[in-house]
Structure formats: C-alpha cells, structure tokens
Amino acid sequence: QVLAWGLRGLRGAVRAPRLELRCGTHTLLTPPIAEPSTNPNFPINTFVLPLELPEQPELVPPVRLRVLDTRCFGQRPELGWACIRGLRHCCCQSRGQGLPPGHTATLPASGCCQGWARERGTGGSPDQPSPWPCAPQAAEEEDEEDEEEEEEEDWWGQFYAAMGDKTKSRGRSSGDELKIYSCELEAVPEFQGLQDFCQTFPLFQPGAPPEPGDEPVPVGEFKGLFCLYPLPQDPAAPPPPRHFQQLPPSQPQRCLVRVYVIRAFDLPPRDSNGLCDPYVRVSLGSKSLGSRDQYVPNTLEPVFGRMFELMGTIPLEKDLRVSLMDYDLVPPDQEIGTTTIDLENRLLSRFRAHCGLPALYCTTGPGRWREQLPPSQALELWARAQGLAAPQFSAEGTAVTLGDATFLLSRFEPASPRQRQRQRQQGHPRERLALHVLRAWHLVPQHLETRTLHCSTRPALAQGKLQLWVDIFPASLGPPGPPVDITPRQPQRHELRCVVWNTRDMDLRDINLLGQRMSDIYVTGWLDGLQEQRQRTDVHYRSLDGHGSFNWRFVFPFEYLRAEQLCVLPRKEHFWSLDETVLKVPPKLILQVWDNDKFSADDFLGVLELELTALPQPALRPRDCTLIPEGPPKRLSRGSQGPSHLSLFRQRRVRGWWPCTVQDGGRRRLSGKLELSLELLTAKEAEERPAGRGRDEPNMYPTLAAPVRAEGSLRWLQAPLRELHVVVCRRYRGRAVLGLTLLLLLALLLTFVYSAPGYLAMKLVNPLQSLQRAGEKPPT
C-alpha cells in the first residue's frame, strides 16, 4: 500500500508532475498534480499495488521512483529519481479496524483505570507493547517550607530547573516540566523522526551518477509512505483492512509559526579577539525576521531569549531556516551556521509535534495554555485522527472513557492538600484530565531541542549548537493563545548602604616614641567586581587599644539579578572595545582594615567578606563576636540552633559586630571586630531617601555625627603637651603614684639615716645637762 502525499522543492519550470513507482515488473502511476505552485499534493493519495515477492527480505527488489512532468505533445521529461532499497522497514502486520498504526494488541475490556492497569500488569506477554498507556502512580509529595521570598515565576525558572541549576532556578519548581533534548526533535528515537505519517525521500538529478567522493545534490523531495503486509493465501478470504484510513486534509494550510530561540553554545570564533557577535535571523519562504542591531557582543555562548512570529502556508513554505550571523561593523556579516526545520512533518505527525504538551493545565502564569483548542477538544480531535470514538467525560470532569478504558483524575494528580489547592487554581478538572490522557500517550511534551548548526561553506563541520522550540498553529482552528515570555531576566538597580561605626581589638602594628604599640586605623570597602567603587573612611589616629570610631557611610549602587542571585557587571575589556562584556558575580561586600603609614606602605590589619545572600548572623556585643567557621552557609530556618545565615535581600537591614580575619601561618585568626549597619534599597527607595557618602550631605537615614575619639588619637605634632599629659596620666598613672610614694618613703628613710647619728650623740653626751650644772651656784 502506497501513500503518495506530494512533491516538494522541484526546481525549474514544472507544469504537472506525476510519480511513477516501479517494483520489479509492476508499475504504479499517480495522477498529475495540476497546480504545483498552489498545491503540491497529489489529488489521490492512497494506492494499492499487489506484488509477488520472495520470502527472503534480501531478495526483495528495490522500489524505483521517477518524477515525470507532463508537457505539451505528450512529452514527459524526467525531473528526478530515487531508489529505495530494502523494504524490511516497510513491513507491517494487518491491524484491527480503527486502531492507530503500529498498535496491534486488542483493547482491554475493564471499565476503570485500576482494572485495565491491573490486567496489563498480570496478563499477556511483558514484552508486547500495549496500545493503552498506564496512568502514572500518584506520589505523595512532602510539603517543604519555602524560606525564600515569594517571587513571580518566569519561564527561565523552568529552564534552569530542567538544566539542574538550583541556584538560578531558586531551588523551586512550579511542577510544570520542561524536557530538554540534547539533539534535534527529529533525532529523538521515540518520535520516529517525525516521519510516522509520511517519510521524505530525496530526489536526484537524472543522468549520469556523480563522481566518486561527490555527494549527489537533491533536486526535490517526495513525501510518502509504504506499507507492505501479506495477503491471505485463500483467495476467498476477505482482504485485511487497509492502512491510511484517517488522513488529514491535503489542501495547503495557512499557519502561524512561533520560533522561540533561547541560546547557543560552542560557537566558533569569528573575530580577532577569539569571540563573535551573534544575532538571529529566521526565514520562512520569502519572509525573513531578525535585526543585526540586536546582536549579543563578545561571546561564544549567547543568550537570546527572542520570539519570532511568522505567517506561512504549509506545505508551500515548509522549510524554516534559523541562522546565526556574526555582526561586523562594516557589512556584510558572516554566517556562523544555519539549521533547517521541516514544519510539514511536525504538523502532520501523530505525535502532535506542532505544539508541545505542558505537564499542567494553567490559565495564568508563564506556563499557561497556549494552544488554540482546550485539552478536551484537542483530545477529541486526536482520538478522531486515531480512529477512536470521541471521549466521554463524567459530569464532574474527573473521569473520561476513551475506547474501552476509563481514566480517573485521581490516578494522575497527587492527593496532598497543598497540591489540591494548587490544582484548583490551574483550571477545570475536565481540562486537566484531558491533558493527562494526552500526555499518557507519550506525545511530544513541552520541550527544548538542541539543533546543530552547519555552514554552507563547510557543511560537514558542525558550527555550534542552538537551543529553540517551534509552535505551529493552523489558522483554521482559530487564534492561538498568548506567546510565552522568554525575555532574558533583566537586572534591577539596588543600592547598598554600609555604615562603619566602630572597630574593636584590632592588631597594633606601629610603635610610638614612647615605645607603645598603636595603629592609625582606617577602613576601605567595595563590592566584589566593582573595585572602581572602592571607598575609605577617615583615619582614627593613635589608637592604643585597637579601638576606632568612624561613623562613616559607604554607598554602593549595583545591578542585581534577583532570580539568579547574581550581580550584573557590564564593562569594556579594553578602552578601544566597542561593546561591553557582561560579567555575573555573586553579591559580596569586601571590607579591609588598614594601618595608615606616612613613609611606608600601609599595614594590613584584617579583612571581612560578607555574602549578601548568605550573611552571617552578627553579634550584638563585641565580646560575643567570634571567628566564623568555614564551610557552606546554613540558611536561617525556624527552630534551628547554632550559626546561621540570612539574606540581606530579604531582611533589608541589619546591624551588629562581625569578625575581621588575617592569614597567619596558613590559618585564619581573629584580628579584630567591626561594627556595621547594612541597608539594602531599591532604586526607587534610594531616590526617596537620599544619603551622601561619609558624612556628606544629605546626611540622613541615619544622620551621622562626628565620632567622639580619645584625645590620645590626636597627632603628636599638633598638641605635644596634651599628648604627653594623656600618655603620662592615663597610661602611667598607677606607676607614677607608686613611684612618688616610694620616693617619699626613701626621702624619709634618708632623712632618718642622716639625722640619726646626731640624735644619738646628743642623747649620749647631753651637753645641755653640763651647761645646766655649770649654771647652778653652790649654797652659801
């Protein structure tokens, strides 16, 4: 049995082509195509050709195809030819009336999903495929706490979740699966090359064969299919039912084509810097879309995130060409690579390759239903194409009967309360059940295919990979749903305000004139990747105990991609570069404490690096500030104990003490403590609440007063007597008092020693007594 669908891409002036099929001594001639420019399909598509063939497959003669044109005066010039060897792949068995091609088993007779699933698991051969799929078992999902801030989901979250990147997908999945194929959709084995309805046979130029080493150049294509099956030996027996009973209309269809180009990778360099500036160009027939101004500069792995919408008539405009071009300052631009997609095969395939089926039926959000017909009508249309009766839904829409089987909604959807609430928001149970039944037949799911690019100058050499998908909507079915928004995530402008209040217990690296250890402390800070925004405080001079007071504000504006938790840094690699290169880094605040020196390099005292998305919990008091252990951060969770981390993008402001560290002998040690307050604002909030750097105006939010510093921090040359007074009175007060006391005692001791001999001599001699005796007169 032959399905002659049509001829494609014939070159030259063709009037009325027809196909001649010859196998051995048997010949089949199709009616001519009257108007190949308006309808290149044959007016009659199915033919039966009885053959007598040997039982050994290797002895079966080849099928020779010739395309003949009908000209005036009975001329029939040959336009192209093809030879099909080995009809083993065309052999098939006779099938029951109304079953889809390729399925020969009888339908189970049970009346519920559980019944036929149980029968399928216990009866029959396990190797024999069943025409009816088994409904997936409902899995009970545990409800996990979502500690991240609720955000609006986008398509890129599904993409990164399918890629396994939990950071960019935020570790969450909306339940709508995205299948990413590492090859073309035609190369996926389960979809049979999308040639299950009809195959494509290339036609070659008639005449002499090509020279050895040269590949023949096709001059056209024949769209058709062959089905070879045995006839009964008894002539009186009825012939088996024929194939190709349910055929789509052969008239050309006006279709809306949406091409979603996501990204490319492994591109070859095209510029002198080892990179290229690619942009996308999409062509269908005579229409072409894509602007050279929308190129992605300086990259070999561009992310496009662009959707192109074209109208075309299939099969007259069936070949969709997606090209990557390299932008050059002076045109013409170089071609990087091109891939071609046969839209007709996707539209005619019984795997519904024209629009992938999502896992969930949603009416809102990035995964909302985008086809023209709701799932229930799509299921009815698909069942009619398979030769089955229309599905019968229950009144509630929770059960459907298709053929001899009944599908229950409870068999497809989990029964957890959280999932039930989410499913109620997705749509009517009837539509959800119809979508589950369609997906159970292993049709083309919502997907992303990876296509290889080839260049016309070097067709045998791959020029990189391109990830995209294509949706085709026939105009006869009505307007399609809204397109998927695949615009790349755009960063939002934020402003980080960091106030450095105090330092404690910093290392002392200098020695003053009196032999005391001290440091002239100041703090510098910047965001990682934005060294040009480096800022520094004033200097706290002559800190004798590692304490410093600053009251100084740092202001860091930056672009932040919230969904990926990365800072976007556009910059030019060289001053002569025309375009900026985008770099993405995690948001990290780096603070360094230094000892200011006048005649030598400043001494490094310590560093503090704070990840804004995983900020360590600060200490409330300096004595509670300890060294932060190394290792992956643990996010703050309810009921957790011990060190934890928080996100500044969620908490918005925080204040406390953090430790500064230095590397000493290959180990980290605590070198001091910093008291900071961190506040994160959006661009709008920063405009409404302006604040200057340092203590400059506008000095608000909060208002920073001049720090109250110890007088010992003044410069020696500015107030030497006051410095001496402070050093002597405050640093050596106890020693001075003790010294004075000892001096007083020593003076008393010396005085005693000095006066003791005279005192003793006076006591021994007593001259006053002799004088007294001499002064006394004798009595008369």
Side-chain angles (χ1 to χ4, degrees):
Q1 192 171 356
V2 180
L3 172 64
W5 189 248
L7 300 173
R8 308 287 184 263
L10 295 178
R11 302 179 181 177
V14 181
R15 300 185 60 182
R18 62 197 310 172
L19 177 69
E20 180 187 85
L21 184 147
R22 180 174 297 178
C23 182
T25 59
H26 300 271
T27 303
L28 173 66
L29 192 64
T30 66
I33 300 176
E35 295 291 340
S37 59
T38 58
N39 186 5
N41 294 331
F42 291 102
I44 301 177
N45 303 112
T46 58
F47 304 90
V48 177
L49 182 63
L51 300 174
E52 294 182 359
L53 301 177
E55 295 182 356
Q56 294 81 2
E58 59 272 8
L59 299 180
V60 176
V63 176
R64 300 184 181 274
L65 304 176
R66 290 200 313 159
V67 177
L68 307 176
D69 196 8
T70 304
R71 303 285 178 86
C72 300
F73 307 106
Q75 297 181 1
R76 292 184 178 179
E78 184 177 355
L79 302 178
W81 64 274
C83 183
I84 305 173
R85 300 182 182 275
L87 297 179
R88 182 180 301 178
H89 65 281
C90 300
C91 297
C92 60
Q93 299 178 356
S94 60
R95 61 184 181 89
Q97 181 69 25
L99 284 180
H103 299 291
T104 58
T106 58
L107 294 179
S110 64
C112 65
C113 180
Q114 293 90 336
W116 63 258
R118 181 169 55 253
E119 181 180 349
R120 182 178 183 270
T122 57
S125 172
D127 299 331
Q128 181 179 3
S130 172
W132 296 98
C134 181
Q137 297 293 331
E140 196 72 28
E141 299 181 357
E142 298 180 358
D143 292 28
E144 300 179 355
E145 287 188 71
D146 189 6
E147 301 174 1
E148 297 294 333
E149 185 178 0
E150 293 294 333
E151 298 176 9
E152 183 181 356
E153 296 180 355
D154 58 354
W155 181 88
W156 289 95
Q158 301 178 17
F159 171 74
Y160 288 120
M163 294 287 292
D165 193 336
K166 296 183 178 180
T167 302
K168 295 183 179 180
S169 65
R170 304 302 303 273
R172 299 197 308 262
S173 176
S174 62
D176 201 355
E177 302 173 357
L178 177 66
K179 181 68 174 179
I180 298 181
Y181 297 108
S182 60
C183 59
E184 291 82 357
L185 192 61
E186 294 83 357
V188 179
E190 57 187 285
F191 300 140
Q192 304 177 14
L194 300 181
Q195 297 190 12
D196 54 293
F197 176 76
C198 62
Q199 298 181 1
T200 302
F201 301 95
L203 303 174
F204 302 102
Q205 182 74 31
E211 298 181 359
D214 295 341
E215 295 184 1
V217 180
V219 296
E221 296 174 348
F222 164 65
K223 291 274 188 177
L225 191 64
F226 302 96
C227 187
L228 189 66
Y229 53 89
L231 296 175
Q233 298 293 336
D234 186 5
R242 296 182 180 181
H243 291 253
F244 313 131
Q245 296 294 322
Q246 302 291 336
L247 296 179
S250 61
Q251 298 296 323
Q253 300 185 63
R254 190 73 174 167
C255 297
L256 174 67
V257 181
R258 289 175 178 168
V259 186
Y260 298 86
V261 182
I262 306 303
R263 65 168 188 158
F265 54 92
D266 295 341
L267 298 182
R270 285 290 188 269
D271 297 335
S272 58
N273 59 356
L275 302 173
C276 60
D277 307 319
Y279 65 93
V280 184
R281 179 172 292 172
V282 178
S283 302
L284 181 63
S286 59
K287 295 175 287 295
S288 179
L289 295 179
S291 174
R292 65 189 304 266
D293 296 333
Q294 297 175 338
Y295 65 93
V296 182
N298 301 329
T299 181
L300 297 180
E301 297 184 353
V303 175
F304 298 106
R306 296 203 58 204
M307 190 274 294
F308 300 90
E309 199 171 69
L310 306 95
M311 290 296 298
T313 302
I314 299 177
L316 298 177
E317 300 168 328
K318 72 177 186 66
D319 290 329
L320 176 69
R321 290 172 53 88
V322 182
S323 304
L324 289 189
M325 308 294 293
D326 178 48
Y327 173 86
D328 290 328
L329 188 60
V330 179
D333 299 333
Q334 302 180 48
E335 178 188 3
I336 299 176
T338 301
T339 181
T340 304
I341 302 175
D342 192 329
L343 300 180
E344 184 182 14
N345 286 347
R346 303 194 174 205
L347 187 61
L348 297 177
S349 174
R350 300 183 188 272
F351 292 101
R352 293 188 86 256
H354 67 279
C355 187
L357 291 172
L360 301 175
Y361 176 73
C362 301
T363 56
T364 59
R368 59 183 178 271
W369 186 258
R370 63 181 185 272
E371 289 197 36
Q372 298 154 294
L373 302 178
S376 57
Q377 297 183 22
L379 177 61
E380 181 179 353
L381 187 63
W382 180 84
R384 189 184 309 121
Q386 306 302 314
L388 302 174
Q392 301 295 326
F393 288 89
S394 63
E396 297 82 6
T398 57
V400 61
T401 300
L402 185 61
D404 295 332
T406 299
F407 298 87
L408 302 179
L409 184 61
S410 59
R411 297 286 295 178
F412 291 98
E413 295 181 350
S416 63
R418 185 177 181 180
Q419 290 290 339
R420 284 200 203 100
Q421 183 179 4
R422 181 180 299 177
Q423 289 155 7
R424 293 191 194 101
Q425 300 173 357
Q426 291 170 359
H428 194 274
R430 173 190 179 98
E431 307 301 337
R432 304 203 313 266
L433 177 58
L435 178 58
H436 288 307
V437 174
L438 284 172
R439 285 181 58 88
W441 275 83
H442 305 293
L443 305 178
V444 174
Q446 183 175 257
H447 66 280
L448 191 66
E449 57 180 308
T450 305
R451 304 190 66 87
T452 304
L453 300 173
H454 295 277
C455 185
S456 57
T457 58
R458 289 168 288 183
L461 185 62
Q463 301 295 320
K465 303 288 186 178
L466 183 66
Q467 287 187 329
L468 54 84
W469 89 85
V470 180
D471 288 342
I472 309 171
F473 305 105
S476 59
L477 298 180
V484 181
D485 185 10
I486 59 170
T487 304
R489 291 168 168 172
Q490 300 298 323
Q492 302 296 325
R493 190 167 184 83
H494 289 72
E495 186 174 281
L496 174 65
R497 296 178 181 176
C498 172
V499 179
V500 181
W501 297 100
N502 300 291
T503 63
R504 289 290 185 273
D505 304 330
M506 299 303 303
D507 290 347
L508 305 177
R509 294 298 182 87
D510 293 340
I511 300 178
N512 61 12
L513 298 177
L514 299 179
Q516 299 171 315
R517 302 193 65 86
M518 66 170 192
S519 288
D520 299 329
I521 304 173
Y522 71 92
V523 182
T524 64
W526 68 93
L527 286 177
D528 189 17
L530 296 174
Q531 286 80 1
E532 64 275 7
Q533 294 186 4
R534 181 191 296 261
Q535 303 172 38
R536 60 171 289 176
T537 65
D538 58 351
V539 182
H540 185 117
Y541 289 99
R542 304 297 176 182
S543 175
L544 302 176
D545 52 3
H547 295 11
S549 299
F550 297 96
N551 297 355
W552 196 273
R553 182 187 293 110
F554 293 151
V555 180
F556 302 110
F558 64 98
E559 301 284 340
Y560 181 68
L561 200 56
R562 191 179 187 89
E564 301 180 14
Q565 300 184 356
L566 295 174
C567 288
V568 178
L569 311 177
R571 60 180 57 186
K572 292 186 178 181
E573 293 186 357
H574 309 284
F575 70 91
W576 61 81
S577 300
L578 298 177
D579 302 298
E580 294 180 338
T581 302
V582 176
L583 181 65
K584 296 181 180 180
V585 297
K588 180 191 294 185
L589 175 63
I590 301 176
L591 298 173
Q592 292 181 350
V593 185
W594 293 82
D595 173 34
N596 183 63
D597 291 329
K598 292 298 183 182
F599 303 103
S600 62
D602 295 347
D603 298 322
F604 178 70
L605 300 182
V607 63
L608 173 63
E609 296 184 358
L610 297 176
E611 291 273 359
L612 302 185
T613 57
L615 198 65
Q617 280 279 10
L620 299 180
R621 295 172 295 183
R623 62 173 178 267
D624 298 332
C625 183
T626 57
L627 195 65
I628 301 174
E630 294 181 343
K634 298 180 181 180
R635 295 194 177 276
L636 184 63
S637 59
R638 299 173 184 173
S640 62
Q641 301 292 334
S644 57
H645 294 72
L646 54 91
S647 174
L648 188 62
F649 293 90
R650 182 182 181 186
Q651 190 156 334
R652 305 305 295 272
R653 61 175 58 90
V654 64
R655 179 172 177 172
W657 292 86
W658 283 274
C660 291
T661 61
V662 293
Q663 291 289 337
D664 190 0
R667 299 178 58 185
R668 295 169 60 246
R669 70 169 180 85
L670 185 65
S671 63
K673 304 166 186 178
L674 269 175
E675 184 185 12
L676 309 171
S677 64
L678 304 177
E679 184 179 12
L680 189 68
L681 298 91
T682 63
K684 183 177 180 181
E685 293 172 345
E687 184 178 357
E688 295 174 351
R689 302 171 55 198
R693 295 184 178 182
R695 291 184 291 271
D696 298 340
E697 295 296 334
N699 188 2
M700 297 184 295
Y701 309 111
T703 301
L704 302 179
V708 179
R709 293 170 176 169
E711 295 181 353
S713 64
L714 299 176
R715 300 186 180 184
W716 182 270
L717 296 179
Q718 281 185 341
L721 296 180
R722 184 177 299 178
E723 178 72 10
L724 180 62
H725 167 74
V726 170
V727 170
V728 173
C729 293
R730 296 192 178 183
R731 298 286 295 182
Y732 299 102
R733 180 182 301 173
R735 296 180 183 180
V737 172
L738 180 60
L740 291 176
T741 304
L742 293 177
L743 287 176
L744 181 60
L745 293 176
L746 182 60
L748 292 176
L749 179 61
L750 292 176
T751 304
F752 174 76
V753 172
Y754 176 77
S755 59
Y759 181 76
L760 292 176
M762 292 292 292
K763 280 292 186 180
L764 293 177
V765 177
N766 196 3
L768 296 178
Q769 186 178 6
S770 60
L771 292 175
Q772 183 179 4
R773 288 178 181 179
E776 293 180 357
K777 294 181 179 182
T780 57

